[in-house]
């Protein structure tokens, strides 16, 4: 089996020594090529080259951002020379994810251990036993995502966190909490909710302040705690949505409490939840913050979302 290991050298949970150990472990089972990312979206190009070079497996060592780039490279690669009678997912290299970031939502959603040595052991067993499964992906316009997307407040919070990290701050739950409180107090979402959700047959809701989209459960983690607006979301189904209509202090406090609780799901007059959607659009009267898989991608006034079933094979 020929495999490519895509390494983000800035991954927070690994060191050069641990990367060397991982490379030796993988080389005991596969014919391995190692590439290091040097800039944003470099992993997209590396994954496309893996498809062109007929690799059997692509392994990522990094966080969810690295995984997202590799997935987008695989899904947008040219496959015209591959047997057209094979299912789409089988025309691409399989994907294995070694958790190397701070949160690693996608790896944990696949059931992999949090620590990279244990996850590597699971992956090696999967290679030996041929233990693959197909997962669906989400698509936002022309970009794919593995576990979540956000439009409005939650994406604006991620933008604030990324700005703080560029100033040298460490990504922690308290950093996200401070960013959320600041955005809630000073951002426009609370005072002027401006997002509409449209299905193919018409508008479902308008004057939404923020929209969270899930391709699987959970949406994210705070430490070991799952944050799960739509616990029925699944790689095997369409997309799930939770939207908040107005960010009034009492209702917002109640919603945050529900999100952090393991006993109840978010509900109330200000909450809109939709399950297993094949496609929908979010439209805003002014540019809104936009994120995929926890990476801020700028502002958009409209994004079309779609579910792509059985898109990719993964080792789990």
């Amino acid at each position: 089996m020929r495999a490519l290991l895509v390494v983000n050298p800035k991954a927070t949970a690994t060191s050069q020594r641990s990367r060397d150990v991982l490379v030796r472990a993988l080389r005991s089972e596969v014919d391995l090529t190692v590439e290091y990312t040097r800039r944003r979206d470099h992993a997209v190009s590396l994954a496309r080259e893996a498809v062109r070079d007929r690799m059997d497996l692509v392994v990522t060592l990094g966080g969810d951002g690295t995984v997202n780039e590799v997935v987008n490279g695989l899904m947008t690669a040219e496959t015209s020379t591959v047997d057209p009678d094979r299912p789409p997912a089988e025309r691409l290299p399989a994907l294995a994810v070694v958790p190397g970031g701070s949160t690693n939502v996608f790896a944990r959603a696949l059931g992999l251990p949090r620590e990279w040595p244990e996850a590597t052991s699971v992956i090696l067993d999967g290679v030996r036993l041929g233990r693959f499964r197909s997962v669906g992906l989400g698509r936002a316009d022309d970009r794919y995502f593995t576990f979540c997307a956000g439009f409005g407040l939650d994406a604006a919070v991620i933008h604030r966190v990324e700005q703080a990290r560029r100033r040298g701050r460490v990504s922690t739950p308290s950093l996200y909490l401070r960013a959320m409180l600041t955005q809630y107090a000073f951002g426009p979402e609370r005072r002027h909710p401006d997002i509409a959700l449209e299905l193919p047959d018409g508008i479902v809701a308008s004057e939404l302040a923020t929209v969270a989209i899930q391709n699987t459960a959970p949406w994210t983690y705070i430490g070991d705690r799952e944050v799960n607006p739509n616990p029925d979301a699944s790689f095997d189904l369409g997309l799930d949505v939770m939207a908040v209509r107005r960010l009034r202090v009492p209702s917002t406090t109640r919603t945050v409490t529900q999100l952090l609780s393991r006993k109840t799901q978010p509900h109330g007059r200000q909450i809109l939840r939709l399950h297993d959607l094949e496609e929908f659009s979010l439209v805003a009267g002014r540019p809104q913050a936009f994120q995929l898989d926890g990476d801020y991608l700028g502002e958009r006034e409209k994004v079309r979302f779609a579910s792509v079933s059985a898109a990719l094979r993964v080792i789990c």
Side-chain angles (χ1 to χ4, degrees):
M1 177 180 285
R2 297 173 61 236
L4 170 68
L5 172 63
V6 178
V7 179
N8 179 356
K10 296 181 180 179
T12 57
T14 62
S15 63
Q16 184 59 56
R17 181 179 179 183
S18 61
R19 291 192 287 268
D20 291 342
V21 172
L22 172 63
V23 168
R24 289 197 295 271
L26 290 172
R27 281 191 169 142
S28 70
E29 296 294 334
V30 299
D31 178 8
L32 187 69
T33 300
V34 182
E35 295 283 358
Y36 287 79
T37 59
R38 297 189 296 271
R39 60 187 180 277
R40 187 160 187 165
D41 282 337
H42 186 198
V44 175
S45 301
L46 295 174
R48 287 174 180 158
E49 291 174 8
V51 177
R52 183 196 65 197
D53 294 340
R54 300 292 187 91
M55 292 284 186
D56 302 296
L57 176 69
V58 176
V59 185
T60 66
L61 176 58
D64 289 308
T66 304
V67 175
N68 181 276
E69 289 189 16
V70 166
V71 166
N72 275 276
L74 294 175
M75 294 299 296
T76 58
E78 176 58 55
T79 59
S80 60
T81 60
V82 182
D83 183 357
D85 294 329
R86 296 168 64 180
E90 294 185 11
R91 299 173 198 171
L92 301 171
L95 175 67
V97 178
V98 180
S102 58
T103 310
N104 306 301
V105 179
F106 182 63
R108 294 161 78 176
L110 292 175
L112 293 171
R114 287 190 62 181
E115 302 300 325
W116 71 264
E118 290 80 6
T120 301
S121 178
V122 172
I123 289 168
L124 292 174
D125 285 344
V127 170
R128 296 186 194 106
L129 299 174
R131 190 169 58 214
F132 301 97
R133 66 164 290 191
S134 293
V135 297
L137 298 172
R139 189 176 66 235
D141 290 338
D142 58 353
R143 190 162 184 117
Y144 293 85
F145 60 97
T146 61
F147 63 92
C148 83
F151 198 61
L153 177 68
D154 96 288
V157 170
I158 286 173
H159 187 206
R160 286 185 179 272
V161 170
E162 290 186 358
Q163 289 175 321
R165 293 183 66 181
R166 285 194 290 270
R167 296 193 298 267
R169 300 291 299 277
V170 177
S171 179
T172 62
S174 62
L175 178 61
Y176 277 91
L177 177 60
R178 286 194 294 272
M180 184 181 69
L181 292 174
T182 301
Q183 186 66 30
Y184 180 80
F186 300 107
E189 297 87 4
R190 180 163 60 94
R191 294 178 296 277
H192 307 290
D194 195 31
I195 303 170
L197 189 150
E198 300 179 355
L199 294 177
D201 56 356
I203 295 177
V204 173
S206 58
E207 295 187 339
L208 304 173
T210 189
V211 185
I213 301 98
Q214 288 178 240
N215 184 51
T216 188
W219 176 49
T220 190
Y221 290 86
I222 298 177
D224 290 329
R225 182 184 291 271
E226 294 182 357
V227 181
N228 215 354
N230 296 291
D232 293 330
S234 169
F235 288 126
D236 300 320
L237 299 173
L239 301 175
D240 279 26
V241 168
M242 187 198 81
V244 182
R245 290 185 169 89
R246 290 190 175 273
L247 297 171
R248 297 189 175 99
V249 173
S251 61
T252 302
T253 302
R254 184 169 56 252
T255 298
V256 171
T257 301
Q258 292 168 351
L259 282 171
L260 297 178
S261 170
R262 294 175 178 171
K263 298 179 180 179
T264 186
Q265 299 175 12
H267 61 276
R269 287 183 299 175
Q270 301 303 326
I271 300 297
L272 171 69
R273 296 176 64 218
L274 300 170
H275 176 60
D276 192 18
L277 299 181
E278 291 300 316
E279 61 178 291
F280 62 94
S281 296
L282 297 177
V283 183
R286 64 177 185 277
Q288 299 283 335
F290 171 57
Q291 64 91 2
L292 294 180
D293 286 344
D295 274 357
Y296 177 71
L297 297 180
E299 294 185 333
R300 305 280 181 90
E301 292 185 6
K302 182 176 181 178
V303 183
R304 179 181 177 274
F305 290 89
S307 173
V308 185
S309 64
L312 199 63
R313 291 178 303 136
V314 297
I315 293 178
C316 58

